Amino acid sequence: MTLRLGDTAPDFEAQTTEGELHFHEWAGESWIVLFSHPKNFTPVCTTELGAVAKLKPEFDRRNVKVIGLSVDAVDDHHRWAQDIQETQGAALNFPLIADHDRRVADLYGMVHPNASDTLTVRSVFVIDPQKKLRLTLTYPASTGRNFAEILRAIDSLQLTNAHSVATPSDWQHGEDVIIVPSLSDEEAKRRFPDGWRALKPYLRVTRQPGS
Ligand code: BEZ
């Protein structure tokens, strides 16, 4: 199944390190980051899970729940969690789906057969509180992900949800933003009373709302 931005994130039930979970019910009113790992007891995945555990307060601050997935059994996940704590200095503090039958991986298209028949790729799905898919990333098994970039992208998504703005290349929270082209100058005057700089008629830069 090919999932596209704007699609409803498929619902599922799964075993996790924090017990049985019904995905949509568990998600509730939160944003979600669902991310997959090729396999348990692999080096890059171990560092990634430690990195996300350390960043958990940053996800919490943004009303984002994180959930990992690996196509192994839950007992293996618990044993692996000990290694993560030992080597990364952070305990697993979010659920890890035990997708040993690849049900969820197949539902979300996390197995790319031309890359590997058995391993999932490093997928990331950012899902909004309406359960709509808002961002996807696909990395190969050998490249660990940059979770600071995922937080940055969530800041952008949440800002553009609240205001008619887009964020430029390499934007960081607090920096200037772009007024979306679909907003007329008349409407922009109402929404951005402090004004903007028009570098071109289609490139209107303004202060980040709320900053
Ligand atoms: C890793 O997580 O370290 C990994 C997994 C599969 C292939 C290569 C690296």
Side-chain angles (χ1 to χ4, degrees), residues 55-192:
L55 286 173
K56 175 83 166 15
E58 290 299 320
F59 287 105
D60 289 344
R61 224 158 52 74
R62 292 163 172 82
N63 185 33
V64 179
K65 291 181 179 174
V66 289
I67 184 162
L69 176 148
S70 187
V71 290
D72 288 284
V74 78
D75 287 351
D76 283 334
H77 282 10
H78 286 302
R79 284 195 298 120
W80 190 24
Q82 292 171 15
D83 291 358
I84 291 161
Q85 178 153 21
E86 184 188 321
T87 62
Q88 306 304 307
L92 207 58
N93 50 12
F94 53 88
L96 187 57
I97 296 168
D99 195 34
H100 50 89
D101 55 6
R102 289 181 22 174
R103 245 181 337 110
V104 181
D106 287 339
L107 199 57
Y108 277 76
M110 295 168 171
V111 178
H112 294 201
N114 288 333
S116 167
D117 272 342
T118 52
L119 304 179
T120 48
V121 291
R122 294 187 195 282
S123 298
V124 180
F125 299 91
V126 178
I127 299 160
D128 72 15
Q130 285 70 48
K131 314 290 180 289
K132 296 294 180 200
L133 190 57
R134 297 293 297 276
L135 179 150
T136 63
L137 285 176
T138 306
Y139 273 41
S142 52
T143 304
R145 288 159 285 196
N146 181 337
F147 290 93
E149 165 58 9
I150 293 165
L151 284 168
R152 190 193 73 87
I154 289 168
D155 281 343
S156 171
L157 286 169
Q158 293 187 341
L159 190 68
T160 58
N161 256 25
H163 307 279
S164 294
V165 295
T167 57
S169 168
D170 300 326
W171 172 86
Q172 296 286 343
H173 185 77
E175 294 178 357
D176 286 352
V177 298
I178 290 168
I179 299 171
V180 294
S182 58
L183 209 65
S184 68
D185 279 355
E186 285 310 301
E187 183 61 18
K189 275 182 203 147
R190 274 194 290 280
R191 295 212 192 185
F192 305 98

Side-chain angles (χ1 to χ4, degrees), residues 37-39 41-46 48 80 119-120 122 141-143:
H37 298 279
K39 195 156 181 52
F41 303 107
T42 47
V44 177
C45 300
T46 303
E48 287 190 325
W80 190 24
L119 304 179
T120 48
R122 294 187 195 282
S142 52
T143 304

